[in-house]
Amino acid sequence: MELKITNLTKEFGDFTAVNDLSITMRNGVYGLLGVNGAGKTTLMRMLCTLLRPTNGTITCDGKEIFAMDGEYRKILGYLPQDFGFYPDFTVQDYLLYIAAIKAVCPAVAKKRVKDLLEKVGLSKAAHKKMKKLSGGMKRRAGIAQAMLNNPNILILDEPTAGLDPNERIRFRNLISELAEDRLVLLSTHIVSDVEYIANEILLMKDGALVHRGTTEQLVATMTENVWKCYVEKREVPQLIERYKISNLKTDSHGVELRVIAKEKPISDAVLDEPVLEDVFLYYFGERVGEEHAAI
Amino acid sequence: MYFYIILEKGLVRNMLQFELKKIFLKPVNKVLLVLLLVITLIGSFLAIRDVKYYRGDEPVLSGPLAARQLKKEQKKWEGPVTEDVLRRVIQENQAINASAETEDIGFAQKQGFADLQDLICAAFSEPGEYEPYLCDTISPDKAAKLYERRISRLKKEVSEVEEGRTGAFSQKQQDFLIHQYESLETPLYYEYAEGWKALLDSQYLPTLMIITIVIIGFFVSGIFSDEFQTRADAIFFSTKFGRNKAIFAKIKAGFLTITVLYWFVMLLFSAVILGVLGIGGAGCMIQINYSNWESMYNVTYFQEWLICMFGGYIGNLFILTFAMFVSAKSRSAVLSIAIPFVLSCVPMFLGRVPMLTDFMSYFPDMLLRINKFIGDFVFCEIGGKVFGIYSALVPCYLVLSFGLLPVMYYCYKKR
């Protein structure tokens, strides 16, 4: 399975959400990282044929996905960021309906729904109405619906948003488990999610791909260092002004900072090993893209 | 290949079932369904209660008891309304007038032939008027010329109206009307028909049709827009059938909902009324009732019922299909919920403006009020040929309803 994106551009009026993006993806988990407004959702919606690109092409094993139409969507599983459902349906009915519109034959659908409900831990809630589910349960129902047709391409847009830590860990493990023999594209701005499960991380900024690679490869692209230091509270505002601070921990004596800088920010700062969160901060700063958060 | 076709059929059936579930599981729709049932039963009850039997100085009977008494009285007058019968009506009326102690007692004694009396009054009153006591003064021989009077009065009436004025008739319309009048087979046959009169001659039927449309509007208006309102559209459109068969399933679900609910309400309403008051008189021409005396449609009560029901269904189908189309196009349930109300009620009021009357007679609400207009001269002219308006409206809106379906499909598919 090869999904090839070539010179993909999507414009909304005079705003360019995705800008001349090219990438080829094969089986494996791809983590799409970027701040709000980077164009992740727009890219995913184009990959799901929900939006038509202004320019460029997307091909699946050499065939244009919009021309493939239903044949492409047959091998696609999608969990949107804003997961909508039918509130009066039970979980089981909801999944059986989605299975039907995914062209899964009724007998197979029944078995697959049962298996997936077990897998996502919703067996006991099968006859509960969708509107009565908790946020985490809804997300799990969401991943189950995405998997109903056993898709070759699984696109998950912010799947862990709004989940508590336990749910997130469970979700990550589930995605890892589902990722065998398929292409999974996972978008998030929760860095640790992709750090744990993605084979390759794609950094997106202002609609373009900034970097791609494993955590180690991305860390290696940083031209600044990560420093750990302990300062008094009154010094913090001044340091925030001058440096990118990737972590800040306060106790009764002072504040422990994690600073990204070329040179030592203060004399007693010590070098630390960079992690993916530092890379994220290094490339995206702290407030980038807030004005286009919905895109 | 064959297996694949069977499999797809199964999936389409499955999708349809779930679409119907989406509609009928909504709490508000459950409440509306009960409300529709209650309104239908109340409407039937009120229509039945409107049948009255007067007993002189004693309290008036209504409903099934009244119907039973009327049936007994009218049985004596059952048969073809010949010249002899018409003479007998006048003689009997005058005899009762002479013998009855009070007017109320006299009125009660005349109930067996009151319908025939009404016919004579309608026929021999001046155009546009109705003289209720005309039978007291008219001679039996003059009354016997009822059918000739119907045609001669029409001829006089249509030729007297000046061309260019509201209500004026073109030569073709005059010819059409006279032809229709002359085609009516006389003598008319008379028998007890209170069930049909309660069903077709009251305000309840068109009112119920409008209420039914407005309520079904709630059911179908969300079929398309709910995908967007629940934000389920992203998943729906990213599935294999999301842009083809699943949309068909939605259209089918809408069509089924409109059809089943409409016929359920109308058949229940008819069954309750006819079940209680009886189906006698089904074969009588509608002109036997004085309110339809001038009708240009030569049909029986049963045929009128079929026309009203089928025409109402087409009106219903068009208005609600249009509401679904608006839902698919605008993604707004609120806007599409307003459509049934606007299309079924607003033209009715606008039609009262003399300037707009003719134009408004082409609107689909006319199909919901066939029983109210079946006695009126509302025409349309196509290719130089004159028709009663319903001969044009029924096929026209039937074609438009089915013509909207592919438009709706493509609008939603392209979203």
Side-chain angles (χ1 to χ4, degrees):
Chain A
M1 175 64 48
E2 183 191 79
L3 200 58
K4 190 174 179 184
I5 299 170
T6 315
N7 305 118
L8 197 71
T9 300
K10 179 68 192 177
E11 290 167 356
F12 295 101
D14 54 3
F15 174 72
T16 306
V18 174
N19 191 6
D20 201 29
L21 192 143
S22 296
I23 185 177
T24 302
M25 293 180 278
R26 292 184 183 84
N27 284 359
V29 181
Y30 293 81
L32 190 57
L33 262 183
V35 291
N36 287 336
K40 305 186 297 287
T41 297
T42 304
L43 172 65
M44 293 188 142
R45 287 176 74 83
M46 284 192 281
L47 289 172
C48 294
T49 70
L50 295 171
L51 280 178
R52 279 198 175 260
T54 313
N55 273 313
T57 55
I58 306 168
T59 58
C60 177
D61 286 337
K63 291 181 205 157
E64 221 277 327
I65 62 166
F66 289 94
M68 285 174 78
D69 198 31
E71 283 313 301
Y72 171 71
R73 293 196 302 270
K74 191 180 173 182
I75 56 163
L76 179 73
Y78 176 46
L79 174 61
Q81 180 181 3
D82 203 0
F83 167 57
F85 49 84
Y86 310 106
D88 299 307
F89 271 15
T90 62
V91 179
Q92 182 168 280
D93 276 351
Y94 170 71
L95 292 176
L96 285 171
Y97 172 64
I98 299 294
I101 62 175
K102 285 188 170 198
V104 180
C105 89
V108 176
K110 268 185 194 166
K111 190 177 179 314
R112 199 163 291 164
V113 166
K114 195 172 169 247
D115 292 346
L116 279 167
L117 282 174
E118 224 160 84
K119 203 165 225 171
V120 299
L122 284 178
S123 292
K124 283 184 185 164
H127 299 288
K128 244 186 175 182
K129 287 205 169 174
M130 287 293 289
K131 63 183 172 190
K132 299 262 168 84
L133 300 184
S134 68
M137 289 164 105
K138 281 175 192 161
R139 283 265 139 193
R140 280 188 267 157
I143 187 81
Q145 69 74 26
M147 290 302 299
L148 276 167
N149 52 334
N150 197 16
N152 293 336
I153 299 169
L154 183 60
I155 294 178
L156 308 169
D157 195 357
E158 307 275 4
T160 53
L163 298 186
D164 64 35
N166 278 339
E167 289 275 9
R168 265 179 53 210
I169 292 164
R170 189 183 175 139
F171 214 90
R172 283 198 314 233
N173 295 340
L174 182 65
I175 293 166
S176 291
E177 206 179 310
L178 298 172
E180 283 173 33
D181 303 327
R182 72 183 95 228
L183 190 164
V184 180
L185 180 62
L186 170 78
S187 134
T188 181
H189 47 215
I190 301 171
V191 178
S192 56
D193 285 349
V194 284
E195 195 167 20
Y196 283 111
I197 54 173
N199 306 112
E200 191 169 350
I201 298 160
L202 313 172
L203 295 184
M204 219 178 148
K205 186 178 179 181
D206 296 333
L209 212 55
V210 183
H211 274 290
R212 60 181 289 187
T214 59
T215 305
E216 294 73 28
Q217 285 167 336
L218 290 176
V219 165
T221 63
M222 281 178 72
T223 54
E224 292 183 13
N225 297 312
V226 177
W227 306 91
K228 216 165 145 182
C229 54
Y230 202 85
V231 296
E232 285 185 32
K233 275 181 189 167
R234 60 182 168 80
E235 293 174 77
V236 173
Q238 201 187 352
L239 285 165
I240 286 178
E241 197 108 312
R242 288 179 60 191
Y243 301 105
K244 289 173 180 167
I245 309 294
S246 75
N247 198 30
L248 189 150
K249 194 168 125 192
T250 309
D251 61 29
S252 53
H253 305 294
V255 182
E256 190 188 280
L257 294 177
R258 193 172 168 85
V259 182
I260 298 171
K262 260 195 173 140
E263 306 295 334
K264 264 189 185 182
I266 54 169
S267 56
D268 53 355
V270 290
L271 264 177
D272 200 4
E273 281 295 310
V275 293
L276 194 59
E277 270 189 4
D278 302 317
V279 178
F280 188 84
L281 189 72
Y282 171 71
Y283 281 110
F284 302 129
E286 285 166 291
R287 291 188 191 86
V288 187
E290 279 180 2
E291 74 225 63
H292 296 299
I295 296 164
Chain B
M1 180 67 185
Y2 188 64
F3 171 75
Y4 188 70
I5 293 169
I6 293 176
L7 174 67
E8 283 220 341
K9 273 193 174 174
L11 284 169
V12 169
R13 204 169 39 239
N14 235 359
M15 281 184 260
L16 176 62
Q17 280 168 0
F18 282 115
E19 285 300 338
L20 289 170
K21 251 187 174 179
K22 275 190 212 170
I23 298 171
F24 289 96
L25 280 179
K26 273 190 188 175
V28 64
N29 289 353
K30 287 181 189 169
V31 174
L32 286 172
L33 200 61
V34 175
L35 186 68
L36 187 59
L37 181 69
V38 171
I39 289 172
T40 309
L41 293 174
I42 290 175
S44 330
F45 169 76
L46 292 176
I48 292 167
R49 208 190 54 170
D50 275 0
V51 178
K52 305 278 187 215
Y53 180 76
Y54 298 88
R55 297 186 293 172
D57 296 335
E58 287 180 62
V60 178
L61 290 179
S62 61
L65 286 177
R68 205 171 303 150
Q69 292 301 323
L70 279 174
K71 196 172 185 177
K72 215 162 81 184
E73 295 289 330
Q74 289 170 357
K75 185 86 184 158
K76 298 169 196 163
W77 294 87
E78 192 177 307
V81 186
T82 58
E83 291 188 2
D84 282 347
V85 172
L86 290 163
R87 277 192 199 96
R88 205 147 59 82
V89 168
I90 301 302
Q91 287 158 356
E92 186 78 16
N93 176 62
Q94 285 164 1
I96 292 171
N97 283 349
S99 64
E101 287 169 25
T102 64
E103 201 177 327
D104 284 349
I105 292 172
F107 181 77
Q109 289 171 350
K110 294 175 191 173
Q111 285 175 102
F113 58 92
D115 290 336
L116 303 177
Q117 255 190 316
D118 287 338
L119 267 191
I120 296 167
C121 293
F124 290 94
S125 294
E126 286 305 308
E129 285 176 24
Y130 178 84
E131 293 171 45
Y133 296 104
L134 195 135
C135 286
D136 297 345
T137 54
I138 196 169
S139 74
D141 287 337
K142 193 177 176 188
K145 303 293 172 202
L146 181 85
Y147 302 116
E148 287 91 327
R149 166 76 179 175
R150 184 171 182 260
I151 296 171
S152 64
R153 203 178 92 167
L154 171 83
K155 285 181 179 169
K156 193 173 165 224
E157 200 177 324
V158 293
S159 60
E160 272 177 359
V161 181
E162 257 180 68
E163 278 279 358
R165 274 180 49 199
T166 307
F169 302 103
S170 68
Q171 189 54 51
K172 276 181 184 162
Q173 287 172 343
Q174 288 183 32
D175 294 345
F176 171 77
L177 267 180
I178 291 165
H179 172 262
Q180 289 298 102
Y181 267 46
E182 286 174 346
S183 312
L184 179 70
E185 272 186 44
T186 55
L188 296 172
Y189 189 86
Y190 178 70
E191 69 173 312
Y192 166 89
E194 292 304 317
W196 297 101
K197 282 202 274 184
L199 181 58
L200 296 167
D201 293 342
S202 70
Q203 263 309 334
Y204 300 115
L205 183 62
T207 308
L208 183 63
M209 281 196 185
I210 291 171
I211 292 172
T212 306
I213 279 200
V214 172
I215 290 182
I216 302 177
F218 280 87
F219 285 78
V220 299
S221 58
I223 290 179
F224 291 106
S225 54
D226 277 0
E227 294 293 336
F228 298 99
Q229 269 161 26
T230 56
R231 295 189 298 266
D233 58 309
I235 292 171
F236 181 84
F237 287 110
S238 63
T239 59
K240 187 186 176 193
F241 288 151
R243 286 178 194 268
N244 39 59
K245 291 193 168 64
I247 303 178
F248 271 129
K250 282 184 180 294
I251 294 173
K252 271 190 193 172
F255 180 78
L256 268 179
T257 305
I258 294 166
T259 305
V260 171
L261 285 183
Y262 172 83
W263 284 109
F264 170 74
V265 169
M266 290 305 140
L267 292 178
L268 179 66
F269 182 69
S270 306
V272 172
I273 293 174
L274 294 175
V276 173
L277 300 178
I279 57 164
C284 289
M285 299 303 284
I286 58 168
Q287 283 81 359
I288 198 73
N289 185 349
Y290 82 99
S291 60
N292 292 326
W293 173 239
E294 292 186 338
S295 177
M296 57 185 178
Y297 296 93
N298 298 332
V299 291
T300 62
Y301 271 122
F302 179 65
Q303 286 165 335
E304 185 195 354
W305 179 80
L306 285 179
I307 294 168
C308 289
M309 292 295 134
F310 188 68
Y313 172 63
I314 301 302
N316 216 294
L317 189 63
F318 173 77
I319 291 172
L320 292 166
T321 307
F322 188 69
M324 280 167 65
F325 166 70
V326 170
S327 162
K329 183 83 184 145
S330 68
R331 306 177 192 180
S332 159
V334 180
L335 195 61
S336 55
I337 281 173
I339 297 290
F341 178 76
V342 170
L343 282 182
S344 59
C345 297
V346 175
M348 192 160 67
F349 295 108
L350 290 178
R352 289 179 187 168
V353 180
M355 252 172 67
L356 298 173
T357 308
D358 283 349
F359 176 64
M360 288 324 226
S361 63
Y362 292 99
F363 274 67
D365 67 299
M366 287 290 286
L367 292 166
L368 312 179
R369 294 179 288 142
I370 294 178
N371 65 331
K372 293 284 111 190
F373 286 98
I374 203 158
D376 292 359
F377 300 152
V378 192
F379 310 96
C380 75
E381 211 170 313
I382 303 167
K385 255 198 128 182
V386 176
F387 301 92
I389 191 81
Y390 292 113
S391 308
L393 287 185
V394 170
C396 167
Y397 280 107
L398 181 66
V399 169
L400 281 177
S401 304
F402 284 102
L404 264 178
L405 300 181
V407 182
M408 190 192 307
Y409 173 80
Y410 283 106
C411 273
Y412 199 63
K413 183 185 164 89
K414 285 197 167 177
R415 60 174 300 271

